[in-house]
Amino acid sequence: MRHLFSPEGEAALVAALQYQPLLAFDFDGTLAPIVPRPGDARVSRAVAGRLSQLMRWLPVAIVTGRRVEDVRERLGFVPSYVVGNHGAEDEADPAVGQALCEALDSARELLLQREPVLKAAGVSVEDKQQSIALHYRLARDRDRARQVIDEVLEGLGPTLTVFGGKLVVNLTPADAPDKAHAVRTLVARSGAGGALFAGDDLNDEPVFAAAAPHWLTIKIGREPAHTRAAFFLENPAEMALLLERILGLVPKLLAR
């Protein structure tokens, strides 16, 4: 995996922009740094301002694990599209969202029954309707907290999917759309010729793995080394630099 600010990365960026792509981004750890308390996360003015400017030329999407309602107030600009809950919450398809919400009712009952055990381990449960997140970032003993989560979730059936993240465990219905499905859908909906997608966590890997050859995929951070992304940025702080570079390229490329 190569740094995007390299000769190879520059060439790949120019090539991808010639397709007039959808610009799609994860939120936490990508547009905004990871913070101890998720409620404190915000996009910086520099990043928000550049994304707002880019919408003059290209569609911009946020594809996040957060709820749509939650993430909107943290952006500082109004994107073309927002998809939440790891791809499962698309405001253009509310009927699917309602069905996915109901599919988690059995998990809600189980977590309610085991709430005292989870709480004692420092685990907080966030019900986001189409997904449920079990956070253990603030647990005193994170290893023990993760063990408790795993023990509690042993009672779930095959109709649910469990996947990890950065000090969080997520639950979604097994048939829920993922981020790869969301990005493909938004590319078609926007009429874009491809996609540039940046993300930092395990739930972004489906997009990296399913990307068409002419898409540009960017992992935020060097780990894990087995990512399917083509390029990386060191951290969210480099995002403003990338967006500034895109702003410098797009008007010239689209004027050709």
Side-chain angles (χ1 to χ4, degrees), residues 22-26 31 59-63 77 79-83 186:
L22 171 79
L23 304 179
F25 306 90
D26 173 45
L31 291 183
V60 173
I62 308 301
V63 184
F77 76 108
S80 312
Y81 309 98
V82 182
V83 175
L186 293 178

Side-chain angles (χ1 to χ4, degrees), residues 78-98:
V78 181
S80 312
Y81 309 98
V82 182
V83 175
N85 276 286
H86 314 287
E89 183 189 5
D90 185 346
E91 291 182 315
D93 202 345
V96 169
Q98 181 59 35

Side-chain angles (χ1 to χ4, degrees), residues 86 146 163-166 168 170 179 199-208 219 224 226:
H86 314 287
R146 180 56 195 261
F163 60 94
K166 294 183 176 177
V168 63
N170 301 287
K179 286 191 176 185
D200 75 306
D201 213 343
L202 290 175
N203 63 356
D204 300 307
E205 288 296 328
V207 186
F208 301 151
K219 172 76 163 53
H226 60 268

Side-chain angles (χ1 to χ4, degrees), residues 114-146:
R114 304 302 301 276
E115 182 179 11
V117 176
L118 291 165
K119 199 173 202 180
V123 178
S124 64
V125 178
E126 181 186 9
D127 188 341
K128 298 183 286 186
Q129 296 190 5
Q130 288 82 20
S131 71
I132 299 174
L134 286 78
H135 300 276
Y136 59 101
R137 180 174 297 277
L138 299 180
R140 291 184 178 180
D141 185 340
R142 290 173 173 173
D143 291 338
R144 174 57 185 159
R146 180 56 195 261

Side-chain angles (χ1 to χ4, degrees), residues 49-51 53-54 57 242-251:
R50 287 167 172 80
L51 287 169
Q53 292 179 61
L54 280 169
W57 292 284
L242 170 60
L243 298 176
E244 186 67 26
R245 181 61 184 140
I246 295 174
L247 275 170
L249 289 170
V250 165

